[in-house]
PDB file of all heavy atoms in Angstrom:
ATOM      1  N   LEU A   1     -33.431 -25.165 -22.356  1.00 96.00           N
ATOM      2  CA  LEU A   1     -32.290 -24.517 -21.731  1.00 96.00           C
ATOM      3  C   LEU A   1     -31.142 -25.511 -21.769  1.00 96.00           C
ATOM      4  O   LEU A   1     -31.240 -26.598 -21.198  1.00 96.00           O
ATOM      5  CB  LEU A   1     -32.608 -24.118 -20.287  1.00 96.00           C
ATOM      6  CG  LEU A   1     -33.746 -23.111 -20.089  1.00 96.00           C
ATOM      7  CD1 LEU A   1     -35.117 -23.800 -20.140  1.00 96.00           C
ATOM      8  CD2 LEU A   1     -33.609 -22.385 -18.760  1.00 96.00           C
ATOM      9  N   CYS A   2     -30.070 -25.166 -22.465  1.00 95.00           N
ATOM     10  CA  CYS A   2     -29.014 -26.142 -22.705  1.00 95.00           C
ATOM     11  C   CYS A   2     -27.635 -25.508 -22.550  1.00 95.00           C
ATOM     12  O   CYS A   2     -27.409 -24.381 -22.993  1.00 95.00           O
ATOM     13  CB  CYS A   2     -29.154 -26.741 -24.099  1.00 95.00           C
ATOM     14  SG  CYS A   2     -27.982 -28.072 -24.453  1.00 95.00           S
ATOM     15  N   GLU A   3     -26.740 -26.241 -21.929  1.00 92.00           N
ATOM     16  CA  GLU A   3     -25.345 -25.823 -21.821  1.00 92.00           C
ATOM     17  C   GLU A   3     -24.476 -26.868 -22.497  1.00 92.00           C
ATOM     18  O   GLU A   3     -24.415 -28.015 -22.049  1.00 92.00           O
ATOM     19  CB  GLU A   3     -24.931 -25.661 -20.355  1.00 92.00           C
ATOM     20  CG  GLU A   3     -23.495 -25.197 -20.180  1.00 92.00           C
ATOM     21  CD  GLU A   3     -23.138 -24.882 -18.741  1.00 92.00           C
ATOM     22  OE1 GLU A   3     -23.962 -24.252 -18.050  1.00 92.00           O
ATOM     23  OE2 GLU A   3     -22.031 -25.268 -18.311  1.00 92.00           O
ATOM     24  N   VAL A   4     -23.853 -26.466 -23.614  1.00 92.00           N
ATOM     25  CA  VAL A   4     -22.906 -27.362 -24.279  1.00 92.00           C
ATOM     26  C   VAL A   4     -21.500 -26.956 -23.858  1.00 92.00           C
ATOM     27  O   VAL A   4     -21.241 -25.799 -23.540  1.00 92.00           O
ATOM     28  CB  VAL A   4     -23.054 -27.327 -25.814  1.00 92.00           C
ATOM     29  CG1 VAL A   4     -24.405 -27.891 -26.226  1.00 92.00           C
ATOM     30  CG2 VAL A   4     -22.880 -25.910 -26.362  1.00 92.00           C
ATOM     31  N   HIS A   5     -20.588 -27.909 -23.853  1.00 85.00           N
ATOM     32  CA  HIS A   5     -19.267 -27.664 -23.298  1.00 85.00           C
ATOM     33  C   HIS A   5     -18.160 -27.662 -24.341  1.00 85.00           C
ATOM     34  O   HIS A   5     -16.984 -27.566 -24.003  1.00 85.00           O
ATOM     35  CB  HIS A   5     -18.973 -28.690 -22.201  1.00 85.00           C
ATOM     36  CG  HIS A   5     -19.882 -28.534 -21.018  1.00 85.00           C
ATOM     37  ND1 HIS A   5     -21.173 -28.999 -21.012  1.00 85.00           N
ATOM     38  CD2 HIS A   5     -19.689 -27.925 -19.816  1.00 85.00           C
ATOM     39  CE1 HIS A   5     -21.739 -28.698 -19.851  1.00 85.00           C
ATOM     40  NE2 HIS A   5     -20.867 -28.053 -19.122  1.00 85.00           N
ATOM     41  N   ARG A   6     -18.557 -27.753 -25.614  1.00 84.00           N
ATOM     42  CA  ARG A   6     -17.621 -27.614 -26.718  1.00 84.00           C
ATOM     43  C   ARG A   6     -18.284 -26.765 -27.789  1.00 84.00           C
ATOM     44  O   ARG A   6     -19.440 -26.986 -28.143  1.00 84.00           O
ATOM     45  CB  ARG A   6     -17.240 -28.985 -27.271  1.00 84.00           C
ATOM     46  CG  ARG A   6     -16.414 -29.838 -26.299  1.00 84.00           C
ATOM     47  CD  ARG A   6     -16.257 -31.267 -26.763  1.00 84.00           C
ATOM     48  NE  ARG A   6     -17.512 -32.006 -26.687  1.00 84.00           N
ATOM     49  CZ  ARG A   6     -17.618 -33.315 -26.837  1.00 84.00           C
ATOM     50  NH1 ARG A   6     -16.527 -34.033 -27.086  1.00 84.00           N
ATOM     51  NH2 ARG A   6     -18.783 -33.927 -26.744  1.00 84.00           N
ATOM     52  N   ARG A   7     -17.572 -25.767 -28.291  1.00 85.00           N
ATOM     53  CA  ARG A   7     -18.153 -24.863 -29.296  1.00 85.00           C
ATOM     54  C   ARG A   7     -18.660 -25.624 -30.513  1.00 85.00           C
ATOM     55  O   ARG A   7     -19.622 -25.213 -31.165  1.00 85.00           O
ATOM     56  CB  ARG A   7     -17.108 -23.820 -29.722  1.00 85.00           C
ATOM     57  CG  ARG A   7     -16.718 -22.862 -28.599  1.00 85.00           C
ATOM     58  CD  ARG A   7     -17.785 -21.840 -28.319  1.00 85.00           C
ATOM     59  NE  ARG A   7     -17.519 -21.115 -27.077  1.00 85.00           N
ATOM     60  CZ  ARG A   7     -16.784 -20.019 -26.981  1.00 85.00           C
ATOM     61  NH1 ARG A   7     -16.200 -19.522 -28.068  1.00 85.00           N
ATOM     62  NH2 ARG A   7     -16.612 -19.425 -25.825  1.00 85.00           N
ATOM     63  N   SER A   8     -18.019 -26.754 -30.833  1.00 89.00           N
ATOM     64  CA  SER A   8     -18.434 -27.546 -31.991  1.00 89.00           C
ATOM     65  C   SER A   8     -19.838 -28.114 -31.826  1.00 89.00           C
ATOM     66  O   SER A   8     -20.466 -28.519 -32.811  1.00 89.00           O
ATOM     67  CB  SER A   8     -17.444 -28.686 -32.234  1.00 89.00           C
ATOM     68  OG  SER A   8     -17.396 -29.565 -31.114  1.00 89.00           O
ATOM     69  N   GLU A   9     -20.348 -28.153 -30.590  1.00 93.00           N
ATOM     70  CA  GLU A   9     -21.684 -28.702 -30.348  1.00 93.00           C
ATOM     71  C   GLU A   9     -22.779 -27.653 -30.517  1.00 93.00           C
ATOM     72  O   GLU A   9     -23.964 -28.009 -30.552  1.00 93.00           O
ATOM     73  CB  GLU A   9     -21.758 -29.280 -28.930  1.00 93.00           C
ATOM     74  CG  GLU A   9     -20.862 -30.476 -28.707  1.00 93.00           C
ATOM     75  CD  GLU A   9     -20.889 -30.956 -27.272  1.00 93.00           C
ATOM     76  OE1 GLU A   9     -20.999 -30.109 -26.355  1.00 93.00           O
ATOM     77  OE2 GLU A   9     -20.800 -32.178 -27.058  1.00 93.00           O
ATOM     78  N   PHE A  10     -22.398 -26.385 -30.625  1.00 94.00           N
ATOM     79  CA  PHE A  10     -23.424 -25.357 -30.673  1.00 94.00           C
ATOM     80  C   PHE A  10     -24.181 -25.346 -32.002  1.00 94.00           C
ATOM     81  O   PHE A  10     -25.388 -25.127 -32.036  1.00 94.00           O
ATOM     82  CB  PHE A  10     -22.820 -23.972 -30.411  1.00 94.00           C
ATOM     83  CG  PHE A  10     -23.853 -22.909 -30.190  1.00 94.00           C
ATOM     84  CD1 PHE A  10     -24.686 -22.956 -29.073  1.00 94.00           C
ATOM     85  CD2 PHE A  10     -24.023 -21.875 -31.098  1.00 94.00           C
ATOM     86  CE1 PHE A  10     -25.651 -21.991 -28.862  1.00 94.00           C
ATOM     87  CE2 PHE A  10     -24.994 -20.906 -30.896  1.00 94.00           C
ATOM     88  CZ  PHE A  10     -25.802 -20.961 -29.771  1.00 94.00           C
ATOM     89  N   GLU A  11     -23.501 -25.607 -33.100  1.00 96.00           N
ATOM     90  CA  GLU A  11     -24.176 -25.658 -34.404  1.00 96.00           C
ATOM     91  C   GLU A  11     -25.223 -26.772 -34.446  1.00 96.00           C
ATOM     92  O   GLU A  11     -26.377 -26.524 -34.847  1.00 96.00           O
ATOM     93  CB  GLU A  11     -23.150 -25.838 -35.520  1.00 96.00           C
ATOM     94  CG  GLU A  11     -23.757 -25.969 -36.915  1.00 96.00           C
ATOM     95  CD  GLU A  11     -24.442 -24.702 -37.398  1.00 96.00           C
ATOM     96  OE1 GLU A  11     -24.040 -23.610 -36.957  1.00 96.00           O
ATOM     97  OE2 GLU A  11     -25.383 -24.805 -38.208  1.00 96.00           O
ATOM     98  N   PRO A  12     -24.887 -28.008 -34.031  1.00 97.00           N
ATOM     99  CA  PRO A  12     -25.933 -29.043 -33.974  1.00 97.00           C
ATOM    100  C   PRO A  12     -27.077 -28.669 -33.043  1.00 97.00           C
ATOM    101  O   PRO A  12     -28.237 -28.991 -33.334  1.00 97.00           O
ATOM    102  CB  PRO A  12     -25.186 -30.281 -33.464  1.00 97.00           C
ATOM    103  CG  PRO A  12     -23.765 -30.049 -33.793  1.00 97.00           C
ATOM    104  CD  PRO A  12     -23.553 -28.568 -33.727  1.00 97.00           C
ATOM    105  N   LEU A  13     -26.772 -28.001 -31.936  1.00 97.00           N
ATOM    106  CA  LEU A  13     -27.826 -27.563 -31.027  1.00 97.00           C
ATOM    107  C   LEU A  13     -28.766 -26.586 -31.728  1.00 97.00           C
ATOM    108  O   LEU A  13     -29.996 -26.703 -31.610  1.00 97.00           O
ATOM    109  CB  LEU A  13     -27.209 -26.904 -29.788  1.00 97.00           C
ATOM    110  CG  LEU A  13     -28.187 -26.184 -28.852  1.00 97.00           C
ATOM    111  CD1 LEU A  13     -29.232 -27.147 -28.300  1.00 97.00           C
ATOM    112  CD2 LEU A  13     -27.433 -25.488 -27.725  1.00 97.00           C
ATOM    113  N   MET A  14     -28.217 -25.633 -32.457  1.00 97.00           N
ATOM    114  CA  MET A  14     -29.052 -24.674 -33.180  1.00 97.00           C
ATOM    115  C   MET A  14     -29.968 -25.374 -34.176  1.00 97.00           C
ATOM    116  O   MET A  14     -31.157 -25.051 -34.271  1.00 97.00           O
ATOM    117  CB  MET A  14     -28.169 -23.647 -33.911  1.00 97.00           C
ATOM    118  CG  MET A  14     -27.514 -22.624 -33.008  1.00 97.00           C
ATOM    119  SD  MET A  14     -26.833 -21.224 -33.943  1.00 97.00           S
ATOM    120  CE  MET A  14     -25.630 -22.051 -34.983  1.00 97.00           C
ATOM    121  N   GLN A  15     -29.420 -26.329 -34.917  1.00 98.00           N
ATOM    122  CA  GLN A  15     -30.223 -27.032 -35.909  1.00 98.00           C
ATOM    123  C   GLN A  15     -31.360 -27.808 -35.247  1.00 98.00           C
ATOM    124  O   GLN A  15     -32.500 -27.830 -35.747  1.00 98.00           O
ATOM    125  CB  GLN A  15     -29.331 -27.976 -36.728  1.00 98.00           C
ATOM    126  CG  GLN A  15     -28.250 -27.276 -37.533  1.00 98.00           C
ATOM    127  CD  GLN A  15     -28.813 -26.291 -38.548  1.00 98.00           C
ATOM    128  OE1 GLN A  15     -29.880 -26.510 -39.113  1.00 98.00           O
ATOM    129  NE2 GLN A  15     -28.090 -25.212 -38.785  1.00 98.00           N
ATOM    130  N   LEU A  16     -31.071 -28.438 -34.118  1.00 98.00           N
ATOM    131  CA  LEU A  16     -32.108 -29.183 -33.401  1.00 98.00           C
ATOM    132  C   LEU A  16     -33.186 -28.251 -32.870  1.00 98.00           C
ATOM    133  O   LEU A  16     -34.384 -28.518 -33.014  1.00 98.00           O
ATOM    134  CB  LEU A  16     -31.475 -29.960 -32.250  1.00 98.00           C
ATOM    135  CG  LEU A  16     -30.687 -31.210 -32.634  1.00 98.00           C
ATOM    136  CD1 LEU A  16     -29.777 -31.651 -31.496  1.00 98.00           C
ATOM    137  CD2 LEU A  16     -31.650 -32.334 -33.000  1.00 98.00           C
ATOM    138  N   ALA A  17     -32.776 -27.147 -32.249  1.00 98.00           N
ATOM    139  CA  ALA A  17     -33.743 -26.208 -31.687  1.00 98.00           C
ATOM    140  C   ALA A  17     -34.612 -25.596 -32.777  1.00 98.00           C
ATOM    141  O   ALA A  17     -35.834 -25.464 -32.617  1.00 98.00           O
ATOM    142  CB  ALA A  17     -33.014 -25.119 -30.899  1.00 98.00           C
ATOM    143  N   TRP A  18     -34.010 -25.206 -33.878  1.00 98.00           N
ATOM    144  CA  TRP A  18     -34.799 -24.661 -34.993  1.00 98.00           C
ATOM    145  C   TRP A  18     -35.754 -25.712 -35.542  1.00 98.00           C
ATOM    146  O   TRP A  18     -36.884 -25.402 -35.909  1.00 98.00           O
ATOM    147  CB  TRP A  18     -33.861 -24.167 -36.097  1.00 98.00           C
ATOM    148  CG  TRP A  18     -33.134 -22.901 -35.750  1.00 98.00           C
ATOM    149  CD1 TRP A  18     -33.512 -21.946 -34.831  1.00 98.00           C
ATOM    150  CD2 TRP A  18     -31.886 -22.468 -36.293  1.00 98.00           C
ATOM    151  NE1 TRP A  18     -32.576 -20.941 -34.778  1.00 98.00           N
ATOM    152  CE2 TRP A  18     -31.568 -21.228 -35.659  1.00 98.00           C
ATOM    153  CE3 TRP A  18     -31.002 -22.978 -37.235  1.00 98.00           C
ATOM    154  CZ2 TRP A  18     -30.407 -20.509 -35.963  1.00 98.00           C
ATOM    155  CZ3 TRP A  18     -29.845 -22.262 -37.535  1.00 98.00           C
ATOM    156  CH2 TRP A  18     -29.562 -21.041 -36.908  1.00 98.00           C
ATOM    157  N   GLY A  19     -35.279 -26.954 -35.609  1.00 98.00           N
ATOM    158  CA  GLY A  19     -36.149 -28.029 -36.081  1.00 98.00           C
ATOM    159  C   GLY A  19     -37.352 -28.254 -35.178  1.00 98.00           C
ATOM    160  O   GLY A  19     -38.399 -28.714 -35.635  1.00 98.00           O
ATOM    161  N   TRP A  20     -37.208 -27.930 -33.904  1.00 98.00           N
ATOM    162  CA  TRP A  20     -38.325 -28.024 -32.965  1.00 98.00           C
ATOM    163  C   TRP A  20     -39.228 -26.798 -33.029  1.00 98.00           C
ATOM    164  O   TRP A  20     -40.251 -26.752 -32.352  1.00 98.00           O
ATOM    165  CB  TRP A  20     -37.800 -28.163 -31.533  1.00 98.00           C
ATOM    166  CG  TRP A  20     -37.175 -29.484 -31.226  1.00 98.00           C
ATOM    167  CD1 TRP A  20     -37.015 -30.551 -32.059  1.00 98.00           C
ATOM    168  CD2 TRP A  20     -36.600 -29.876 -29.973  1.00 98.00           C
ATOM    169  NE1 TRP A  20     -36.377 -31.585 -31.416  1.00 98.00           N
ATOM    170  CE2 TRP A  20     -36.119 -31.203 -30.131  1.00 98.00           C
ATOM    171  CE3 TRP A  20     -36.453 -29.249 -28.736  1.00 98.00           C
ATOM    172  CZ2 TRP A  20     -35.498 -31.906 -29.091  1.00 98.00           C
ATOM    173  CZ3 TRP A  20     -35.827 -29.945 -27.708  1.00 98.00           C
ATOM    174  CH2 TRP A  20     -35.361 -31.257 -27.886  1.00 98.00           C
ATOM    175  N   GLY A  21     -38.848 -25.805 -33.824  1.00 97.00           N
ATOM    176  CA  GLY A  21     -39.653 -24.593 -33.943  1.00 97.00           C
ATOM    177  C   GLY A  21     -39.370 -23.558 -32.872  1.00 97.00           C
ATOM    178  O   GLY A  21     -40.209 -22.695 -32.609  1.00 97.00           O
ATOM    179  N   LEU A  22     -38.171 -23.607 -32.271  1.00 97.00           N
ATOM    180  CA  LEU A  22     -37.814 -22.682 -31.197  1.00 97.00           C
ATOM    181  C   LEU A  22     -36.918 -21.569 -31.716  1.00 97.00           C
ATOM    182  O   LEU A  22     -36.257 -21.706 -32.743  1.00 97.00           O
ATOM    183  CB  LEU A  22     -37.090 -23.436 -30.073  1.00 97.00           C
ATOM    184  CG  LEU A  22     -37.822 -24.641 -29.472  1.00 97.00           C
ATOM    185  CD1 LEU A  22     -36.919 -25.350 -28.463  1.00 97.00           C
ATOM    186  CD2 LEU A  22     -39.121 -24.210 -28.808  1.00 97.00           C
ATOM    187  N   GLU A  23     -36.894 -20.461 -30.987  1.00 96.00           N
ATOM    188  CA  GLU A  23     -35.986 -19.371 -31.321  1.00 96.00           C
ATOM    189  C   GLU A  23     -35.161 -19.020 -30.086  1.00 96.00           C
ATOM    190  O   GLU A  23     -35.630 -19.116 -28.952  1.00 96.00           O
ATOM    191  CB  GLU A  23     -36.745 -18.149 -31.819  1.00 96.00           C
ATOM    192  CG  GLU A  23     -37.680 -17.519 -30.816  1.00 96.00           C
ATOM    193  CD  GLU A  23     -38.394 -16.296 -31.367  1.00 96.00           C
ATOM    194  OE1 GLU A  23     -38.537 -16.202 -32.607  1.00 96.00           O
ATOM    195  OE2 GLU A  23     -38.818 -15.447 -30.565  1.00 96.00           O
ATOM    196  N   MET A  24     -33.923 -18.584 -30.314  1.00 96.00           N
ATOM    197  CA  MET A  24     -33.025 -18.301 -29.206  1.00 96.00           C
ATOM    198  C   MET A  24     -33.302 -16.927 -28.605  1.00 96.00           C
ATOM    199  O   MET A  24     -33.414 -15.933 -29.324  1.00 96.00           O
ATOM    200  CB  MET A  24     -31.569 -18.378 -29.666  1.00 96.00           C
ATOM    201  CG  MET A  24     -30.555 -18.290 -28.538  1.00 96.00           C
ATOM    202  SD  MET A  24     -28.870 -18.728 -29.068  1.00 96.00           S
ATOM    203  CE  MET A  24     -28.558 -17.390 -30.247  1.00 96.00           C
ATOM    204  N   THR A  25     -33.415 -16.876 -27.282  1.00 94.00           N
ATOM    205  CA  THR A  25     -33.663 -15.606 -26.591  1.00 94.00           C
ATOM    206  C   THR A  25     -32.538 -15.215 -25.648  1.00 94.00           C
ATOM    207  O   THR A  25     -32.549 -14.117 -25.099  1.00 94.00           O
ATOM    208  CB  THR A  25     -34.972 -15.679 -25.775  1.00 94.00           C
ATOM    209  OG1 THR A  25     -34.852 -16.706 -24.776  1.00 94.00           O
ATOM    210  CG2 THR A  25     -36.160 -15.971 -26.674  1.00 94.00           C
ATOM    211  N   ARG A  26     -31.574 -16.114 -25.469  1.00 92.00           N
ATOM    212  CA  ARG A  26     -30.461 -15.823 -24.574  1.00 92.00           C
ATOM    213  C   ARG A  26     -29.294 -16.724 -24.924  1.00 92.00           C
ATOM    214  O   ARG A  26     -29.481 -17.913 -25.187  1.00 92.00           O
ATOM    215  CB  ARG A  26     -30.873 -16.042 -23.114  1.00 92.00           C
ATOM    216  CG  ARG A  26     -29.758 -15.856 -22.083  1.00 92.00           C
ATOM    217  CD  ARG A  26     -29.393 -14.411 -21.886  1.00 92.00           C
ATOM    218  NE  ARG A  26     -28.425 -14.246 -20.804  1.00 92.00           N
ATOM    219  CZ  ARG A  26     -27.714 -13.146 -20.621  1.00 92.00           C
ATOM    220  NH1 ARG A  26     -27.853 -12.116 -21.437  1.00 92.00           N
ATOM    221  NH2 ARG A  26     -26.856 -13.052 -19.620  1.00 92.00           N
ATOM    222  N   CYS A  27     -28.074 -16.153 -24.939  1.00 91.00           N
ATOM    223  CA  CYS A  27     -26.877 -16.941 -25.214  1.00 91.00           C
ATOM    224  C   CYS A  27     -25.717 -16.336 -24.436  1.00 91.00           C
ATOM    225  O   CYS A  27     -25.488 -15.127 -24.493  1.00 91.00           O
ATOM    226  CB  CYS A  27     -26.564 -16.975 -26.710  1.00 91.00           C
ATOM    227  SG  CYS A  27     -25.127 -17.997 -27.138  1.00 91.00           S
ATOM    228  N   HIS A  28     -25.020 -17.177 -23.710  1.00 87.00           N
ATOM    229  CA  HIS A  28     -23.856 -16.721 -22.951  1.00 87.00           C
ATOM    230  C   HIS A  28     -22.694 -17.662 -23.218  1.00 87.00           C
ATOM    231  O   HIS A  28     -22.786 -18.860 -22.943  1.00 87.00           O
ATOM    232  CB  HIS A  28     -24.163 -16.689 -21.452  1.00 87.00           C
ATOM    233  CG  HIS A  28     -22.974 -16.320 -20.614  1.00 87.00           C
ATOM    234  ND1 HIS A  28     -22.552 -15.027 -20.444  1.00 87.00           N
ATOM    235  CD2 HIS A  28     -22.092 -17.103 -19.910  1.00 87.00           C
ATOM    236  CE1 HIS A  28     -21.482 -15.000 -19.664  1.00 87.00           C
ATOM    237  NE2 HIS A  28     -21.179 -16.243 -19.339  1.00 87.00           N
ATOM    238  N   ALA A  29     -21.613 -17.121 -23.785  1.00 87.00           N
ATOM    239  CA  ALA A  29     -20.418 -17.918 -24.058  1.00 87.00           C
ATOM    240  C   ALA A  29     -19.461 -17.783 -22.879  1.00 87.00           C
ATOM    241  O   ALA A  29     -19.020 -16.679 -22.549  1.00 87.00           O
ATOM    242  CB  ALA A  29     -19.752 -17.439 -25.344  1.00 87.00           C
ATOM    243  N   GLY A  30     -19.179 -18.907 -22.233  1.00 78.00           N
ATOM    244  CA  GLY A  30     -18.281 -18.905 -21.091  1.00 78.00           C
ATOM    245  C   GLY A  30     -16.881 -19.334 -21.462  1.00 78.00           C
ATOM    246  O   GLY A  30     -16.476 -19.291 -22.632  1.00 78.00           O
ATOM    247  N   ARG A  31     -16.142 -19.787 -20.480  1.00 73.00           N
ATOM    248  CA  ARG A  31     -14.767 -20.197 -20.707  1.00 73.00           C
ATOM    249  C   ARG A  31     -14.695 -21.602 -21.292  1.00 73.00           C
ATOM    250  O   ARG A  31     -15.622 -22.389 -21.186  1.00 73.00           O
ATOM    251  CB  ARG A  31     -13.999 -20.166 -19.380  1.00 73.00           C
ATOM    252  CG  ARG A  31     -13.893 -18.782 -18.754  1.00 73.00           C
ATOM    253  CD  ARG A  31     -13.168 -18.866 -17.419  1.00 73.00           C
ATOM    254  NE  ARG A  31     -13.907 -19.687 -16.465  1.00 73.00           N
ATOM    255  CZ  ARG A  31     -13.440 -20.060 -15.281  1.00 73.00           C
ATOM    256  NH1 ARG A  31     -12.232 -19.688 -14.919  1.00 73.00           N
ATOM    257  NH2 ARG A  31     -14.168 -20.797 -14.470  1.00 73.00           N
ATOM    258  N   ASN A  32     -13.594 -21.899 -21.936  1.00 73.00           N
ATOM    259  CA  ASN A  32     -13.278 -23.253 -22.402  1.00 73.00           C
ATOM    260  C   ASN A  32     -14.329 -23.839 -23.337  1.00 73.00           C
ATOM    261  O   ASN A  32     -14.581 -25.046 -23.324  1.00 73.00           O
ATOM    262  CB  ASN A  32     -13.083 -24.186 -21.197  1.00 73.00           C
ATOM    263  CG  ASN A  32     -11.993 -23.686 -20.250  1.00 73.00           C
ATOM    264  OD1 ASN A  32     -10.964 -23.202 -20.704  1.00 73.00           O
ATOM    265  ND2 ASN A  32     -12.244 -23.789 -18.956  1.00 73.00           N
ATOM    266  N   GLY A  33     -14.959 -22.996 -24.157  1.00 77.00           N
ATOM    267  CA  GLY A  33     -15.905 -23.496 -25.145  1.00 77.00           C
ATOM    268  C   GLY A  33     -17.308 -23.734 -24.648  1.00 77.00           C
ATOM    269  O   GLY A  33     -18.160 -24.207 -25.390  1.00 77.00           O
ATOM    270  N   CYS A  34     -17.588 -23.413 -23.395  1.00 84.00           N
ATOM    271  CA  CYS A  34     -18.919 -23.633 -22.823  1.00 84.00           C
ATOM    272  C   CYS A  34     -19.891 -22.545 -23.292  1.00 84.00           C
ATOM    273  O   CYS A  34     -19.581 -21.363 -23.233  1.00 84.00           O
ATOM    274  CB  CYS A  34     -18.813 -23.636 -21.304  1.00 84.00           C
ATOM    275  SG  CYS A  34     -20.364 -23.856 -20.458  1.00 84.00           S
ATOM    276  N   VAL A  35     -21.059 -22.956 -23.767  1.00 90.00           N
ATOM    277  CA  VAL A  35     -22.086 -22.005 -24.222  1.00 90.00           C
ATOM    278  C   VAL A  35     -23.425 -22.384 -23.601  1.00 90.00           C
ATOM    279  O   VAL A  35     -23.896 -23.508 -23.757  1.00 90.00           O
ATOM    280  CB  VAL A  35     -22.220 -22.000 -25.759  1.00 90.00           C
ATOM    281  CG1 VAL A  35     -23.276 -20.974 -26.181  1.00 90.00           C
ATOM    282  CG2 VAL A  35     -20.887 -21.695 -26.420  1.00 90.00           C
ATOM    283  N   THR A  36     -24.034 -21.443 -22.893  1.00 91.00           N
ATOM    284  CA  THR A  36     -25.364 -21.628 -22.317  1.00 91.00           C
ATOM    285  C   THR A  36     -26.366 -20.848 -23.151  1.00 91.00           C
ATOM    286  O   THR A  36     -26.161 -19.663 -23.422  1.00 91.00           O
ATOM    287  CB  THR A  36     -25.410 -21.128 -20.866  1.00 91.00           C
ATOM    288  OG1 THR A  36     -24.437 -21.833 -20.096  1.00 91.00           O
ATOM    289  CG2 THR A  36     -26.784 -21.351 -20.259  1.00 91.00           C
ATOM    290  N   SER A  37     -27.441 -21.499 -23.575  1.00 94.00           N
ATOM    291  CA  SER A  37     -28.428 -20.817 -24.410  1.00 94.00           C
ATOM    292  C   SER A  37     -29.843 -21.203 -23.991  1.00 94.00           C
ATOM    293  O   SER A  37     -30.072 -22.260 -23.417  1.00 94.00           O
ATOM    294  CB  SER A  37     -28.208 -21.140 -25.896  1.00 94.00           C
ATOM    295  OG  SER A  37     -28.272 -22.536 -26.130  1.00 94.00           O
ATOM    296  N   VAL A  38     -30.771 -20.288 -24.293  1.00 95.00           N
ATOM    297  CA  VAL A  38     -32.189 -20.484 -23.990  1.00 95.00           C
ATOM    298  C   VAL A  38     -32.967 -20.354 -25.288  1.00 95.00           C
ATOM    299  O   VAL A  38     -32.764 -19.408 -26.063  1.00 95.00           O
ATOM    300  CB  VAL A  38     -32.691 -19.450 -22.966  1.00 95.00           C
ATOM    301  CG1 VAL A  38     -34.183 -19.643 -22.702  1.00 95.00           C
ATOM    302  CG2 VAL A  38     -31.901 -19.560 -21.662  1.00 95.00           C
ATOM    303  N   TRP A  39     -33.866 -21.297 -25.515  1.00 96.00           N
ATOM    304  CA  TRP A  39     -34.671 -21.332 -26.728  1.00 96.00           C
ATOM    305  C   TRP A  39     -36.140 -21.431 -26.331  1.00 96.00           C
ATOM    306  O   TRP A  39     -36.500 -22.242 -25.473  1.00 96.00           O
ATOM    307  CB  TRP A  39     -34.289 -22.547 -27.579  1.00 96.00           C
ATOM    308  CG  TRP A  39     -32.832 -22.590 -27.917  1.00 96.00           C
ATOM    309  CD1 TRP A  39     -31.805 -22.996 -27.099  1.00 96.00           C
ATOM    310  CD2 TRP A  39     -32.225 -22.211 -29.151  1.00 96.00           C
ATOM    311  NE1 TRP A  39     -30.605 -22.894 -27.748  1.00 96.00           N
ATOM    312  CE2 TRP A  39     -30.828 -22.408 -29.014  1.00 96.00           C
ATOM    313  CE3 TRP A  39     -32.730 -21.717 -30.360  1.00 96.00           C
ATOM    314  CZ2 TRP A  39     -29.933 -22.139 -30.038  1.00 96.00           C
ATOM    315  CZ3 TRP A  39     -31.842 -21.450 -31.379  1.00 96.00           C
ATOM    316  CH2 TRP A  39     -30.466 -21.660 -31.212  1.00 96.00           C
ATOM    317  N   VAL A  40     -36.994 -20.616 -26.939  1.00 96.00           N
ATOM    318  CA  VAL A  40     -38.417 -20.622 -26.579  1.00 96.00           C
ATOM    319  C   VAL A  40     -39.260 -20.719 -27.848  1.00 96.00           C
ATOM    320  O   VAL A  40     -38.822 -20.411 -28.948  1.00 96.00           O
ATOM    321  CB  VAL A  40     -38.806 -19.367 -25.771  1.00 96.00           C
ATOM    322  CG1 VAL A  40     -38.000 -19.271 -24.507  1.00 96.00           C
ATOM    323  CG2 VAL A  40     -38.649 -18.115 -26.621  1.00 96.00           C
ATOM    324  N   ARG A  41     -40.488 -21.148 -27.630  1.00 95.00           N
ATOM    325  CA  ARG A  41     -41.402 -21.280 -28.752  1.00 95.00           C
ATOM    326  C   ARG A  41     -42.097 -19.951 -29.007  1.00 95.00           C
ATOM    327  O   ARG A  41     -42.699 -19.366 -28.087  1.00 95.00           O
ATOM    328  CB  ARG A  41     -42.452 -22.365 -28.450  1.00 95.00           C
ATOM    329  CG  ARG A  41     -43.329 -22.731 -29.661  1.00 95.00           C
ATOM    330  CD  ARG A  41     -44.047 -24.037 -29.427  1.00 95.00           C
ATOM    331  NE  ARG A  41     -43.125 -25.141 -29.130  1.00 95.00           N
ATOM    332  CZ  ARG A  41     -42.376 -25.747 -30.055  1.00 95.00           C
ATOM    333  NH1 ARG A  41     -42.446 -25.381 -31.327  1.00 95.00           N
ATOM    334  NH2 ARG A  41     -41.563 -26.737 -29.698  1.00 95.00           N
TER     335      ARG A  41
END
C-alpha cells in the first residue's frame, strides 16, 4: 500500500510492484499529483 506525492513517481512504483509479482487492485488519484495505490499478490 503506497502513496506517492508526485505523478512522476507512479511509473517507477508500477515497475517495482510488477517486479515483485504484484498486481494493482486499487488506485486513487488525489490532488497535487498524489496517487494512492494498493498492490496484492
Side-chain angles (χ1 to χ4, degrees):
L1 298 81
C2 185
E3 181 173 317
V4 294
H5 294 79
R6 292 170 290 191
R7 294 285 168 88
S8 61
E9 295 176 325
F10 191 66
E11 177 67 28
L13 170 60
M14 286 194 299
Q15 297 300 326
L16 285 163
W18 287 337
W20 289 0
L22 305 175
E23 63 179 25
M24 188 168 64
T25 62
R26 176 73 174 164
C27 182
H28 176 80
R31 297 178 297 172
N32 303 320
C34 179
V35 181
T36 302
S37 58
V38 178
W39 304 79
V40 301
R41 189 164 303 285

